[in-house]
């Protein structure tokens, strides 16, 4: 176990951030999955900006890589256009 106050605090902070990142990443994955499952074009077009925004926020906080978000957004846009 850590012996310094600063390292003990750092462990607490890391665990808290890990759980937050996990929650937001899982929420975004569920939103992407729900959007992919949509067969209604109008509903998909309404949901796309929200999902896109979620992905951009994850990139901003370094939870996911920017290229991953770009790939997801691109694939979702293609899928919506095909509907």
């Amino acid at each position: 176990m850590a012996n310094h106050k600063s390292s003990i605090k750092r462990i607490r902070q890391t665990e808290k951030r890990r759980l937050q990142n996990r929650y937001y990443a899982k929420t975004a994955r569920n939103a992407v999955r729900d959007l992919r499952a949509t067969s209604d074009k109008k509903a998909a077009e309404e949901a796309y900006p929200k999902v896109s925004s979620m992905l951009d926020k994850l990139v901003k906080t370094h939870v996911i890589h920017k290229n991953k978000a770009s790939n997801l957004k691109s694939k979702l846009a293609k899928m919506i256009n095909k509907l």
Side-chain angles (χ1 to χ4, degrees), residues 10-67:
R10 183 57 71 184
I11 290 168
R12 285 196 317 263
Q13 288 175 332
T14 304
E15 179 64 15
K16 185 177 175 184
R17 286 195 187 112
R18 184 183 73 84
L19 292 174
Q20 285 176 343
N21 289 343
R22 206 170 126 198
Y23 169 76
Y24 289 118
K26 183 66 174 176
T27 305
R29 277 200 305 272
N30 287 340
V32 168
R33 188 183 67 216
D34 292 343
L35 182 59
R36 281 190 180 133
T38 305
S39 58
D40 180 29
K41 183 167 182 151
K42 188 172 181 95
E45 286 175 342
E46 290 173 5
Y48 179 73
K50 293 174 188 162
V51 173
S52 178
S53 174
M54 289 173 92
L55 293 172
D56 289 336
K57 286 177 186 172
L58 289 178
V59 168
K60 188 169 73 173
T61 56
H62 304 290
V63 175
I64 62 173
H65 196 273
K66 64 179 181 176
N67 290 354

